[in-house]
Structures are given as C-alpha cells and as structure tokens.
Amino acid sequence: MRILVVGGGGREHALAWRLAQCPSVEMVFTSPGNPGAAKIATCVPGWKPSDWLALADEHEIDLTVVGPEAPLVAGIVDLFESRGRWIFGPSAAAARLEGSKAFSKDFMNRNGIPTARSQTVTLVEAAIDAVRDFGFPVVLKADGLHAGKGVVVAQDQQQADDAIPALLADGRLVVEEFLKGEEVSFIVLSDGTNVLPLPPTQDHKPVYDDDLGPNTGGMGAYTDPCILSERQAEGIMDTIIRPTVDRMKAEGYPFSGFLYAGLMMTADGPKVLEYNARLGDPEAQPLMHRFDGDLAQVLLAAVRADLKNARTSWKPEPSVCVVLASHGYPGTPRTGEVIHGIAAAEACGATVFHAATRLSQYNTLETAGGRVLGVTASGGDLAAAIENTYNAVRQIHFDGMHYRTDIGEKGLKRYNRENMGT
Ligand code: AMP
Ligand code: GLY
C-alpha cells in the first residue's frame, strides 16, 4: 500500500512513523511533513485539499490519512470521495463535531449525551448575563477552530469581561458550567457504524506544572492501563461513544475516522468537554509508540466500513510524551533557535517526534513554531516510562526551551492511591 499522511506536526510524524513500519505498507508520503518525518517518509509540499488530491493522483496513493482538523472541516474527505479515492477521516458535515462548539453542544443536548450545562450567545451583553447565571469559575468557548486555545476559564468578572470580546470574534460564544474532575482523552476508530477504542490517554493542557497557566494545544500525554478501569471504559462506550456514533449516523452524517471525546471524570460520571474529529496531539505520539501490528490494515478496514472484523493490539508498556515548547508559547513563539541533542535523546531509547522544526539555510535544525518536539519513550511501568522520557528530554536544548516536569504524575498518584492506599 502507498500511504499519504496529511499534516506537518508531531501527530503526523508519529502516524507516518508507525505506518512506515507496517508490513502492508510499501511507501509513506507526508505533506507537508517536517524534517523528522522526512527521515522515514517522503515529504512533499501541500497546503490545501486540492494539493493533496493532486498528490494522491500523482503518486498513486492507496490510502490517505488526515492528521489535523482544518482540512477535515474544509471538506478534504468529501473531495477525495467524490473522486473515488480512499481517505480515512470524517466528512465536513461530521467534522462539525469539532469545527463548531455550538453544533456539538446542540448535538449532545438533543441526544442526551452527558456534557456541561451551557448557553450559546451571540452578543456581549448576553454573554455577561450568562456568566452571571453560571457564577465563577465559568468556561468561555469560542465557536470554530482555535488550536486548543479558544477556551478561557474565567475566575472572576474582570477575566470574563477581558476575554468575551475576542472569543466572540466568530459570532458565537458558548458559556459553560465549570466541571471538576480529572480529564481523560478517549479516542476511538469509527467506520460510521462500528467502533474500536484506543487505550485511554491523558493530556496536560495548561502550560505550567500542576496545571497552572493558560491552556495550550497540549504539553505532554501518556497512555497507561491505570487511566481508566475496564468498567469506566465500558461506561464511556455505552453512554458517550456508541450514542454519538449511532446518532451521527441517524441524523444523516455518519462519523468515520478517529473520534476523540475529551472527557471530565466528574462525581456524576464522565461528561464530554469537547469532541475532536481526529487523533489528539500530543496523544497520538504515545499511542503510536504503543501500537502493535499493522495500522494501515486497520485504517483500511475502517474506510471499507468493515471495522467489526478488525483488531488492534498494543504493547503492554506505558508510553509517555513530553512536549518541548518555544519561548513565548502559548503566546507568540520565538522561532529560529538552533536545536541540539536529538541524537543523544534517541541514544537514550526515546523516539523524538518533530512538531515544529525546519532546516536553516546552513542545514541546521531549528525551531519553527510553539510546540517544537515530542520526546516519547516507554518503560516497564509508568514510573520507568516517565524516567526514561525525562532522561532523554534532558539531552535536548534550544534557547528559550520550556516543558512541564510533571507529565504522567497524575497517573502515578492514581496508581499509588489504588494499590497502596496512599
Ligand atoms: P476544550 O477545547 O473544550 O476541550 O477545552 C480546552 C480545555 O479547557 C479542556 O481540556 C479543559 O481543561 C478546559 N475545559 C473546557 N471545558 C471545561 C469545563 N466545562 N469545565 C472545566 N474545564 C473545562
Ligand atoms: N491534545 C488535545 C488535542 O489534540 O486537541
């Protein structure tokens, strides 16, 4: 099989890396890709759905896999399907689950899928009234796509007043009840009817340790069996995932692709914070690290609406990914800093996925955006995986580099609570 992976971040590097190792895959192209992906795949320029369709024709691609949300929301899947080309991802109508917070809240409310109480408003005055009704803290969500940064948790009136005008820029704003609990990223493969769950992962959205500071696209993630019990995972499949897939189909826009439910595990059970119409990033990095088997065959089964006959298997060892970010991120990142130490990190046993890197005119590797690298490693247990990952992280340096030092610690605490009563 000849595969095209659309996108140029850490998730796409991780997907291309895993797909390149599949027995059924002859060649992997990625577009636009990045210098890390270029080591295991052929990177070709491309920025919009019509570019990728032309690439698929030119390189006789058998299956295209889409990483980021923007091309999905723009209708890349509809375009490929109209030309009879196989592509893994949701149609534009189904990708509204991510593309519009207002659509996804309405969808959950009319279908009884557990989520936070909310109100969608179009005017500043209505937003202020809604904030008053909910009390503080309150969650304010811009409609549309914002790379994980369109959400503000306002602690007081001043913070709400400051945030509302910018968040209303797309015309609609969701004001939402603040939910307490632990967050879990629950991602499944869907063929529109059948689903196959991936192991649960946990992301770390705020920029600083202990979940302090503004939200980012994700500063690190891990996958470990202790994130959810089997009973909890089954409950999520029954109350959230299956109803979502069933109702999307019944409403006329079946969801095929990676369906990501961002959940809050509240005292009243799991509730959906958001849907994404794709694999999470950085979650994809530890997940692809742990995936065992021929991913291309599984994705092909989903595209053929035959997921009920497919199986996934996973290495038992937990995997951890720590994101190395640029000075200024999640605000305006400083770019053009030379990156040192990737080979040394890999010599420690880690896989270093590139998220925003480029080659300078002198052929040195430099930073090109906010989230620069995802250092990913596994270990015999979660503590060992964390230690192996941070040993590798410490080999890498660029000016202004920052990262969280507590990725996976919630997992260790949970493990200790459950196994040692501490
Ligand atoms: P979203 O893009 O909707 O997932 O929101 C980004 C992040 O904001 C989430 O991962 C949570 O950390 C936080 N968040 C979103 N909605 C809520 C909520 N209702 N209660 C508490 N935190 C939330
Ligand atoms: N890591 C969160 C996301 O991919 O949206």
Side-chain angles (χ1 to χ4, degrees), residues 199-272:
T201 48
Q202 200 161 39
D203 189 12
H204 298 67
K205 290 262 170 66
V207 65
Y208 303 126
D209 282 7
D210 299 322
D211 288 338
L212 297 174
N215 271 341
T216 67
M219 292 298 288
Y222 67 101
T223 154
D224 175 71
C226 75
I227 293 177
L228 293 175
S229 68
E230 243 167 69
R231 229 186 81 226
Q232 283 174 310
E234 271 161 28
I236 291 166
M237 288 296 286
D238 289 345
T239 61
I240 292 169
I241 300 295
R242 285 198 192 92
T244 301
V245 170
D246 290 350
R247 295 307 305 161
M248 288 294 282
K249 187 175 174 188
E251 291 190 6
Y253 19 79
F255 189 101
S256 165
F258 287 111
L259 174 64
Y260 168 139
L263 305 177
M264 189 70 93
M265 304 300 291
T266 74
D268 295 334
K271 294 191 179 179
V272 179

Coordinates of all heavy atoms in Angstrom, one line a residue, residues 199-272:
P199 N -6.5 2.8 23.6 CA -6.3 2.9 25.0 C -6.5 4.4 25.5 O -6.1 5.3 24.7 CB -4.9 2.5 25.3 CG -4.4 1.8 24.1 CD -5.2 2.3 22.9
P200 N -7.1 4.6 26.6 CA -7.3 6.0 27.1 C -5.9 6.7 27.3 O -4.9 6.0 27.6 CB -8.0 5.9 28.4 CG -8.0 4.4 28.8 CD -7.6 3.6 27.6
T201 N -5.9 8.0 27.1 CA -4.7 8.8 27.3 C -5.0 10.0 28.2 O -6.2 10.3 28.3 CB -4.1 9.3 26.0 OG1 -5.1 9.9 25.2 CG2 -3.4 8.2 25.2
Q202 N -4.0 10.6 28.7 CA -4.3 11.8 29.5 C -3.3 12.9 28.9 O -2.1 12.7 28.8 CB -4.0 11.5 30.9 CG -4.7 12.5 31.8 CD -4.8 12.1 33.3 OE1 -3.9 11.4 33.8 NE2 -5.9 12.4 33.9
D203 N -3.9 14.0 28.6 CA -3.2 15.2 28.1 C -2.9 16.1 29.2 O -3.5 15.9 30.3 CB -4.1 15.8 27.0 CG -3.3 16.9 26.2 OD1 -2.1 17.0 26.3 OD2 -4.0 17.7 25.5
H204 N -2.1 17.1 29.0 CA -1.8 18.1 30.0 C -1.9 19.4 29.3 O -0.9 19.9 28.7 CB -0.4 17.9 30.6 CG -0.2 16.6 31.3 ND1 -0.2 15.4 30.6 CD2 0.0 16.3 32.6 CE1 -0.1 14.4 31.5 NE2 0.0 14.9 32.7
K205 N -3.0 20.1 29.4 CA -3.3 21.3 28.6 C -2.6 22.6 29.1 O -2.0 23.3 28.3 CB -4.8 21.5 28.6 CG -5.6 20.5 27.8 CD -5.9 21.0 26.4 CE -6.5 20.0 25.5 NZ -7.8 19.5 25.8
P206 N -2.7 22.9 30.4 CA -2.1 24.1 30.8 C -0.6 24.1 30.7 O 0.1 23.0 30.7 CB -2.5 24.3 32.3 CG -3.7 23.4 32.4 CD -3.4 22.2 31.5
V207 N 0.0 25.3 30.5 CA 1.4 25.4 30.1 C 2.4 25.0 31.2 O 3.5 24.5 30.9 CB 1.7 26.8 29.5 CG1 1.6 27.9 30.5 CG2 3.1 26.8 28.8
Y208 N 2.0 25.2 32.5 CA 2.9 25.0 33.6 C 2.6 23.8 34.4 O 1.4 23.3 34.4 CB 3.0 26.2 34.5 CG 3.4 27.5 33.8 CD1 2.6 28.6 33.8 CD2 4.5 27.6 33.0 CE1 2.9 29.8 33.1 CE2 4.9 28.7 32.3 CZ 4.0 29.8 32.4 OH 4.4 31.0 31.7
D209 N 3.5 23.3 35.2 CA 3.3 22.2 36.1 C 2.1 22.5 37.0 O 1.8 23.6 37.3 CB 4.6 22.0 37.0 CG 5.7 21.4 36.3 OD1 5.6 21.1 35.1 OD2 6.7 21.1 37.0
D210 N 1.6 21.4 37.5 CA 0.4 21.5 38.4 C -0.8 22.1 37.7 O -1.7 22.7 38.4 CB 0.7 22.2 39.7 CG 1.8 21.5 40.5 OD1 1.8 20.3 40.5 OD2 2.7 22.2 41.1
D211 N -0.9 22.0 36.4 CA -2.0 22.6 35.6 C -2.2 24.1 35.9 O -3.3 24.5 36.0 CB -3.3 21.8 35.9 CG -3.3 20.4 35.3 OD1 -2.5 20.2 34.4 OD2 -4.0 19.5 35.8
L212 N -1.1 24.8 36.0 CA -1.2 26.2 36.1 C -0.9 26.9 34.8 O -0.2 26.4 33.9 CB -0.2 26.7 37.2 CG -0.4 26.2 38.6 CD1 0.7 26.6 39.5 CD2 -1.7 26.7 39.1
G213 N -1.4 28.2 34.7 CA -1.1 29.0 33.5 C -2.2 28.7 32.4 O -3.1 27.9 32.5
P214 N -2.0 29.4 31.3 CA -3.0 29.3 30.2 C -3.0 28.0 29.5 O -2.0 27.3 29.5 CB -2.6 30.5 29.2 CG -1.2 30.8 29.5 CD -1.0 30.4 31.0
N215 N -4.1 27.7 28.8 CA -4.2 26.4 28.1 C -3.3 26.5 26.8 O -3.2 27.5 26.2 CB -5.6 26.1 27.7 CG -6.4 25.4 28.7 OD1 -5.7 24.7 29.6 ND2 -7.7 25.4 28.7
T216 N -2.9 25.3 26.4 CA -2.1 25.1 25.2 C -2.8 24.1 24.3 O -3.8 23.5 24.7 CB -0.7 24.6 25.5 OG1 -0.8 23.3 26.0 CG2 0.0 25.5 26.6
G217 N -2.2 23.7 23.2 CA -2.7 22.5 22.5 C -2.4 21.2 23.2 O -2.9 20.2 22.8
G218 N -1.6 21.2 24.2 CA -1.2 20.0 25.0 C 0.3 20.0 25.2 O 1.1 20.1 24.2
M219 N 0.7 19.9 26.4 CA 2.2 19.9 26.8 C 2.8 18.5 27.0 O 4.0 18.4 27.3 CB 2.4 20.8 28.0 CG 2.1 22.2 27.8 SD 3.2 23.0 26.6 CE 4.7 23.1 27.5
G220 N 2.0 17.5 26.9 CA 2.5 16.1 27.1 C 1.3 15.2 27.3 O 0.2 15.6 27.7
A221 N 1.6 13.9 27.1 CA 0.5 12.9 27.2 C 1.1 11.6 27.6 O 2.3 11.4 27.2 CB -0.4 12.9 26.0
Y222 N 0.3 10.7 28.2 CA 0.8 9.4 28.4 C -0.4 8.4 28.2 O -1.6 8.8 28.3 CB 1.4 9.2 29.8 CG 0.4 9.4 30.9 CD1 -0.1 8.2 31.6 CD2 0.0 10.6 31.3 CE1 -1.0 8.3 32.6 CE2 -0.9 10.7 32.4 CZ -1.4 9.6 33.0 OH -2.3 9.7 34.0
T223 N 0.0 7.2 28.0 CA -1.0 6.1 27.9 C -0.6 5.0 28.8 O 0.6 4.6 28.8 CB -1.3 5.6 26.5 OG1 -1.8 4.2 26.6 CG2 -0.1 5.6 25.6
D224 N -1.5 4.6 29.7 CA -1.2 3.6 30.7 C -2.5 2.9 31.1 O -3.5 3.6 31.2 CB -0.6 4.4 31.9 CG -0.3 3.4 33.1 OD1 0.6 2.6 33.0 OD2 -1.1 3.5 34.1
P225 N -2.5 1.6 31.4 CA -3.8 0.9 31.7 C -4.5 1.5 32.9 O -5.7 1.4 33.0 CB -3.3 -0.5 31.9 CG -2.0 -0.6 31.3 CD -1.4 0.7 31.3
C226 N -3.8 2.2 33.8 CA -4.4 2.6 35.0 C -5.3 3.9 34.9 O -5.9 4.3 35.8 CB -3.4 2.9 36.2 SG -2.5 4.4 36.0
I227 N -5.3 4.5 33.7 CA -6.1 5.7 33.5 C -7.5 5.5 33.7 O -8.2 6.3 34.4 CB -5.8 6.4 32.1 CG1 -4.3 6.8 32.0 CG2 -6.7 7.5 31.8 CD1 -3.9 7.4 30.7
L228 N -8.1 4.4 33.2 CA -9.5 4.1 33.5 C -9.6 2.6 33.8 O -8.9 1.8 33.2 CB -10.3 4.3 32.2 CG -10.5 5.7 31.7 CD1 -11.3 5.7 30.4 CD2 -11.3 6.6 32.7
S229 N -10.5 2.2 34.7 CA -10.8 0.8 34.9 C -11.6 0.3 33.7 O -12.2 1.1 32.9 CB -11.6 0.6 36.2 OG -12.9 1.2 36.0
E230 N -11.7 -1.0 33.6 CA -12.5 -1.6 32.5 C -13.9 -1.1 32.6 O -14.6 -0.8 31.6 CB -12.4 -3.1 32.5 CG -11.8 -3.6 31.2 CD -11.4 -5.1 31.4 OE1 -12.3 -5.9 31.4 OE2 -10.1 -5.4 31.4
R231 N -14.4 -1.1 33.8 CA -15.8 -0.7 34.0 C -16.1 0.8 33.5 O -17.1 1.1 32.9 CB -16.2 -0.8 35.5 CG -17.5 -1.6 35.6 CD -18.0 -1.6 37.1 NE -18.7 -0.4 37.4 CZ -18.5 0.2 38.6 NH1 -17.6 -0.2 39.5 NH2 -19.1 1.3 38.8
Q232 N -15.1 1.6 33.9 CA -15.3 3.0 33.5 C -15.2 3.1 31.9 O -16.0 3.9 31.3 CB -14.1 3.9 34.0 CG -14.3 4.2 35.5 CD -13.0 4.9 36.0 OE1 -11.9 4.5 35.8 NE2 -13.2 6.0 36.7
A233 N -14.3 2.4 31.3 CA -14.2 2.5 29.9 C -15.5 2.0 29.2 O -16.0 2.5 28.2 CB -13.0 1.7 29.4
E234 N -16.0 0.9 29.8 CA -17.3 0.4 29.2 C -18.4 1.4 29.4 O -19.2 1.6 28.5 CB -17.7 -0.9 29.9 CG -17.1 -2.1 29.1 CD -17.0 -3.4 30.0 OE1 -17.9 -3.5 30.9 OE2 -16.1 -4.2 29.8
G235 N -18.5 2.0 30.5 CA -19.5 3.1 30.8 C -19.4 4.2 29.7 O -20.4 4.7 29.2
I236 N -18.2 4.6 29.4 CA -17.9 5.7 28.4 C -18.4 5.2 27.0 O -19.1 5.9 26.3 CB -16.4 6.1 28.4 CG1 -16.1 6.8 29.7 CG2 -16.1 7.0 27.2 CD1 -14.6 6.9 30.0
M237 N -18.1 4.0 26.7 CA -18.6 3.4 25.4 C -20.1 3.4 25.4 O -20.7 3.8 24.4 CB -18.1 2.0 25.2 CG -16.6 1.9 25.0 SD -16.0 2.6 23.4 CE -16.7 1.4 22.3
D238 N -20.8 3.0 26.5 CA -22.2 2.9 26.5 C -22.9 4.3 26.5 O -24.0 4.4 25.9 CB -22.7 2.1 27.7 CG -22.3 0.6 27.5 OD1 -22.0 0.2 26.3 OD2 -22.4 -0.1 28.5
T239 N -22.4 5.2 27.3 CA -23.2 6.5 27.5 C -22.7 7.6 26.6 O -23.4 8.5 26.4 CB -23.0 7.0 28.9 OG1 -21.6 7.3 29.2 CG2 -23.6 6.0 30.0
I240 N -21.5 7.5 26.0 CA -21.0 8.6 25.2 C -20.6 8.1 23.8 O -21.2 8.7 22.8 CB -19.8 9.2 25.9 CG1 -20.3 9.9 27.2 CG2 -19.0 10.2 25.0 CD1 -19.2 10.4 28.1
I241 N -19.7 7.1 23.6 CA -19.2 6.9 22.3 C -20.3 6.2 21.4 O -20.5 6.7 20.3 CB -18.0 5.9 22.4 CG1 -16.9 6.6 23.2 CG2 -17.5 5.5 21.0 CD1 -16.3 7.9 22.6
R242 N -20.9 5.1 21.8 CA -21.9 4.5 20.9 C -23.0 5.4 20.6 O -23.4 5.5 19.4 CB -22.3 3.2 21.5 CG -21.3 2.1 21.3 CD -21.8 0.7 21.5 NE -20.6 -0.2 21.6 CZ -20.1 -0.6 22.8 NH1 -20.6 -0.2 23.9 NH2 -19.0 -1.4 22.8
P243 N -23.6 6.1 21.6 CA -24.7 7.1 21.3 C -24.2 8.1 20.3 O -25.0 8.5 19.4 CB -25.1 7.7 22.6 CG -24.6 6.7 23.6 CD -23.4 6.0 23.1
T244 N -23.0 8.6 20.4 CA -22.5 9.6 19.5 C -22.5 9.1 18.0 O -23.0 9.7 17.1 CB -21.1 10.1 19.9 OG1 -21.1 10.6 21.2 CG2 -20.6 11.2 18.9
V245 N -21.9 7.9 17.9 CA -21.7 7.3 16.5 C -23.1 6.9 16.0 O -23.4 7.2 14.8 CB -20.8 6.1 16.6 CG1 -20.8 5.3 15.3 CG2 -19.4 6.6 16.9
D246 N -24.0 6.4 16.8 CA -25.3 6.0 16.4 C -26.1 7.2 15.9 O -26.8 7.2 14.9 CB -26.1 5.3 17.5 CG -25.5 3.9 17.8 OD1 -24.7 3.4 17.0 OD2 -25.9 3.3 18.8
R247 N -26.1 8.3 16.8 CA -26.9 9.4 16.5 C -26.4 10.2 15.3 O -27.1 10.8 14.5 CB -27.1 10.3 17.7 CG -27.8 9.7 18.9 CD -29.2 9.2 18.5 NE -30.0 10.2 17.8 CZ -31.1 10.0 17.1 NH1 -31.4 8.8 16.8 NH2 -31.7 11.0 16.5
M248 N -25.0 10.3 15.1 CA -24.5 11.0 13.9 C -25.0 10.3 12.7 O -25.4 10.9 11.7 CB -22.9 10.9 14.0 CG -22.3 11.9 15.0 SD -22.6 13.6 14.7 CE -21.4 13.9 13.4
K249 N -25.0 8.9 12.7 CA -25.5 8.2 11.6 C -27.0 8.4 11.3 O -27.4 8.7 10.2 CB -25.2 6.7 11.8 CG -25.5 5.8 10.6 CD -25.1 4.4 10.9 CE -25.5 3.5 9.8 NZ -25.3 2.1 10.1
A250 N -27.7 8.4 12.4 CA -29.2 8.6 12.3 C -29.5 10.0 11.8 O -30.5 10.2 11.1 CB -29.9 8.3 13.7
E251 N -28.7 10.9 12.2 CA -29.0 12.3 11.8 C -28.5 12.6 10.3 O -28.7 13.7 9.8 CB -28.4 13.3 12.8 CG -29.1 13.3 14.1 CD -28.7 14.4 15.0 OE1 -27.9 15.3 14.6 OE2 -29.1 14.4 16.2
G252 N -27.8 11.6 9.7 CA -27.5 11.8 8.3 C -26.1 12.2 8.0 O -25.8 12.5 6.9
Y253 N -25.2 12.2 9.1 CA -23.8 12.5 8.8 C -22.9 11.5 9.6 O -22.3 11.9 10.6 CB -23.4 13.9 9.1 CG -24.4 14.6 10.0 CD1 -24.3 14.4 11.4 CD2 -25.3 15.5 9.5 CE1 -25.2 15.1 12.3 CE2 -26.2 16.2 10.4 CZ -26.2 15.9 11.8 OH -27.0 16.5 12.6
P254 N -22.9 10.2 9.1 CA -22.1 9.2 9.8 C -20.6 9.7 10.0 O -20.1 10.3 9.2 CB -22.2 8.0 8.9 CG -22.8 8.4 7.6 CD -23.4 9.7 7.9
F255 N -20.1 9.3 11.2 CA -18.8 9.8 11.6 C -17.8 8.6 11.3 O -17.8 7.6 12.0 CB -18.7 10.2 13.0 CG -17.4 10.9 13.3 CD1 -17.2 12.2 13.4 CD2 -16.2 10.1 13.5 CE1 -16.0 12.8 13.6 CE2 -15.0 10.7 13.7 CZ -14.9 12.1 13.8
S256 N -16.9 8.8 10.3 CA -15.9 7.8 10.1 C -14.6 8.5 10.3 O -14.3 9.6 9.8 CB -16.1 7.3 8.6 OG -14.9 6.6 8.2
G257 N -13.7 7.8 11.0 CA -12.4 8.5 11.3 C -12.0 8.3 12.8 O -12.6 7.4 13.5
F258 N -11.0 9.0 13.3 CA -10.7 9.0 14.7 C -11.7 9.9 15.4 O -11.8 11.1 15.1 CB -9.3 9.5 15.0 CG -8.2 8.6 14.5 CD1 -7.4 8.9 13.5 CD2 -7.9 7.4 15.3 CE1 -6.3 8.1 13.1 CE2 -6.9 6.6 14.9 CZ -6.1 6.9 13.8
L259 N -12.5 9.4 16.3 CA -13.4 10.2 17.1 C -12.8 10.4 18.5 O -12.5 9.4 19.2 CB -14.8 9.6 17.2 CG -15.8 10.3 18.1 CD1 -16.1 11.7 17.6 CD2 -17.1 9.5 18.2
Y260 N -12.6 11.6 18.9 CA -11.9 11.9 20.2 C -12.9 12.6 21.1 O -13.4 13.6 20.8 CB -10.7 12.8 19.8 CG -10.0 13.5 20.9 CD1 -8.6 13.6 20.9 CD2 -10.6 14.2 22.0 CE1 -7.9 14.3 21.8 CE2 -9.9 14.8 23.0 CZ -8.5 14.9 22.9 OH -7.8 15.6 23.8
A261 N -13.2 11.9 22.2 CA -14.0 12.6 23.2 C -13.1 13.1 24.4 O -12.4 12.3 25.0 CB -15.1 11.6 23.8
G262 N -13.1 14.4 24.5 CA -12.3 14.9 25.7 C -13.3 14.9 26.8 O -14.3 15.6 26.8
L263 N -12.9 14.1 27.9 CA -13.9 13.9 29.0 C -13.4 14.5 30.3 O -12.2 14.6 30.5 CB -14.0 12.4 29.2 CG -14.4 11.6 28.0 CD1 -14.5 10.1 28.4 CD2 -15.8 12.0 27.5
M264 N -14.4 14.9 31.1 CA -14.1 15.2 32.5 C -14.7 14.1 33.3 O -15.9 13.8 33.2 CB -14.7 16.6 32.9 CG -14.2 17.0 34.2 SD -12.5 17.5 34.2 CE -12.6 19.2 33.9
M265 N -13.9 13.4 34.2 CA -14.5 12.3 35.0 C -15.0 13.0 36.3 O -14.3 13.2 37.2 CB -13.4 11.3 35.3 CG -12.7 10.7 34.1 SD -13.8 9.8 33.0 CE -14.2 8.4 34.1
T266 N -16.3 13.4 36.3 CA -16.9 14.1 37.4 C -17.5 13.2 38.4 O -17.6 12.0 38.1 CB -18.0 15.1 36.9 OG1 -19.2 14.3 36.6 CG2 -17.6 15.9 35.7
A267 N -17.9 13.7 39.6 CA -18.5 12.9 40.6 C -19.8 12.3 40.1 O -20.3 11.2 40.5 CB -18.7 13.7 41.8
D268 N -20.4 12.9 39.0 CA -21.7 12.4 38.4 C -21.4 11.6 37.2 O -22.3 11.3 36.4 CB -22.5 13.6 37.9 CG -23.0 14.4 39.0 OD1 -23.1 13.9 40.1 OD2 -23.3 15.6 38.8
G269 N -20.2 11.1 37.0 CA -19.8 10.3 35.9 C -19.1 11.1 34.8 O -19.0 12.3 34.9
P270 N -18.7 10.4 33.7 CA -17.9 11.1 32.7 C -18.8 12.1 31.9 O -20.0 11.7 31.6 CB -17.4 10.0 31.8 CG -18.3 8.8 32.1 CD -18.8 9.0 33.5
K271 N -18.3 13.3 31.6 CA -19.0 14.2 30.7 C -18.1 14.7 29.6 O -16.9 14.9 29.9 CB -19.5 15.4 31.6 CG -20.5 15.0 32.6 CD -21.2 16.2 33.3 CE -22.2 15.6 34.3 NZ -22.9 16.7 35.0
V272 N -18.7 15.0 28.5 CA -17.9 15.5 27.3 C -17.6 17.0 27.5 O -18.5 17.8 27.6 CB -18.7 15.2 26.0 CG1 -17.8 15.7 24.8 CG2 -19.0 13.7 25.9

